[in-house]
């Protein structure tokens, strides 16, 4: 459940309070644990009871909820806030050719990846503004928002919407000293991704398109997120940062 290497200490995280969505797996889980290593307070949202229990053992406060339930999400933010930062890591995908993609699949992906992220950001920002404290929001987007990928219409469009949310909120909330950024990773080797991308016929063409010729490890994504949350990124806002080994440079 930990990042694949020890993360660097980042200025200003110690003692601050962060909300992490999608914290029971993958990038969100790794971010929650890395923030605890930085001695930050973490409220972890997710749906997997066993993973939430493990996060509690690591010192996180946990909350089980369905992120698309806006009322429950707003209540959780109110109950556990105010926060110094938010990492919107929850996300789902639906891979299918556009000619057969069901409308309800598009709705489900957008509700989690874009709408829920916007509502989480709204709730956290309200608390920041009321407390007059500012803060940092990081949205976990994807390289799929920056380039076209076969069979990824719903996912790519939802992540492009997340990047648009990032830019809009950067403009609206900058006056309140709230910074909003996205990170846009390539394939990241979570346990699920390792299974999905293990087949050579799928893995090899993607690796050939990445100039660094490797997929991202969890720590490759976690460390930029921690940096964007930290005081060291105090003048960075509105950025959609590819973490893709050069994939989108082509």
């Amino acid at each position: 459940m930990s990042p694949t290497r020890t993360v660097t200490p980042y200025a200003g995280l110690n003692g601050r309070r962060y909300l992490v969505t999608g914290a029971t797996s993958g990038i969100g889980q790794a971010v929650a644990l890395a923030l605890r290593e930085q001695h930050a307070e973490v409220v972890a949202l997710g749906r997997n009871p066993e993973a939430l229990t493990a996060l509690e053992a690591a010192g996180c406060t946990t909350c089980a909820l369905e992120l698309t339930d806006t009322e429950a999400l707003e209540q959780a933010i109110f109950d556990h806030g105010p926060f110094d930062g938010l990492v919107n890591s929850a996300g789902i995908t639906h891979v299918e050719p556009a000619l057969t993609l069901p409308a309800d699949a598009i709705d489900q992906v957008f509700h989690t990846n874009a709408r829920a992220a916007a509502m989480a950001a709204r709730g956290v920002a309200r608390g920041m503004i009321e407390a007059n404290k500012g803060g940092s929001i990081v949205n976990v987007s994807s390289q799929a928002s920056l380039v076209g990928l076969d069979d990824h219409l719903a996912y790519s469009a939802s992540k492009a919407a997340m990047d648009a949310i990032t830019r809009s909120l950067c403009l609206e909330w900058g006056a309140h000293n709230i910074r909003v950024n996205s990170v846009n990773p390539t394939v990241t080797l979570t346990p699920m991704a390792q299974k999905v991308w293990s087949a050579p016929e799928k893995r090899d063409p993607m690796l050939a398109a990445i100039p660094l010729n490797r997929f991202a490890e969890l720590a490759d994504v976690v460390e930029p997120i921690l940096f964007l949350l930290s005081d060291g990124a105090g003048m960075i806002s509105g950025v959609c940062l590819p973490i893709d080994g050069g994939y989108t440079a082509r």
Side-chain angles (χ1 to χ4, degrees):
M1 282 180 58
S2 62
T4 56
R5 62 175 181 259
T6 302
V7 295
T8 305
Y10 288 99
L13 300 185
N14 188 330
R16 288 182 180 167
R17 190 167 183 83
Y18 295 93
L19 179 67
V20 181
T21 73
T24 54
S25 64
I27 293 169
Q29 185 181 68
V31 168
L33 293 171
L35 282 168
R36 286 297 301 138
E37 291 177 5
Q38 303 279 327
H39 306 291
E41 297 179 17
V42 177
V43 176
L45 302 188
R47 296 182 298 180
N48 183 315
E50 292 182 1
L52 288 173
T53 298
L55 288 167
E56 287 176 2
C60 297
T61 300
T62 63
C63 183
L65 59 77
E66 173 54 59
L67 200 64
T68 56
D69 183 341
T70 301
E71 184 175 342
L73 175 62
E74 289 181 342
Q75 188 63 52
I77 293 171
F78 178 81
D79 289 342
H80 295 288
F83 296 96
D84 298 287
L86 164 68
V87 179
N88 266 319
S89 186
I92 61 173
T93 188
H94 187 98
V95 178
E96 184 172 343
L99 287 176
T100 58
L101 181 65
D104 62 349
I106 298 175
D107 290 342
Q108 290 169 7
V109 173
F110 264 82
H111 282 173
T112 298
N113 295 1
R115 180 186 172 201
M119 294 299 96
R122 183 183 72 175
V124 168
R126 283 174 172 171
M128 290 175 175
I129 292 168
E130 288 175 5
N132 193 31
K133 63 191 298 185
S136 176
I137 295 170
V138 180
N139 296 318
V140 180
S141 184
S142 170
Q143 71 179 15
S145 75
L146 305 174
V147 295
L149 296 175
D150 290 343
D151 303 336
H152 279 68
L153 187 155
Y155 184 73
S156 293
S158 71
K159 291 299 189 178
M162 177 179 266
D163 289 349
I165 289 167
T166 294
R167 290 186 288 268
S168 293
L169 299 186
C170 159
L171 295 178
E172 288 197 30
W173 297 343
H176 301 286
N177 196 30
I178 298 173
R179 298 182 294 104
V180 188
N181 294 288
S182 291
V183 293
N184 300 64
T186 187
V187 175
T188 303
L189 292 177
T190 63
M192 182 179 296
Q194 288 175 352
K195 294 179 181 179
V196 171
W197 291 92
S198 61
E201 64 273 15
K202 185 170 186 178
R203 178 192 66 221
D204 293 348
M206 177 60 80
L207 283 175
I210 298 174
L212 290 184
N213 196 39
R214 68 177 180 89
F215 295 141
E217 300 287 345
L218 278 172
D220 292 322
V221 182
V222 170
E223 291 213 31
I225 291 173
L226 296 187
F227 171 68
L228 290 172
L229 292 173
S230 77
D231 293 345
M235 197 59 183
I236 300 176
S237 193
V239 167
C240 299
L241 176 65
I243 306 174
D244 64 356
Y247 181 90
T248 57
R250 296 183 183 276

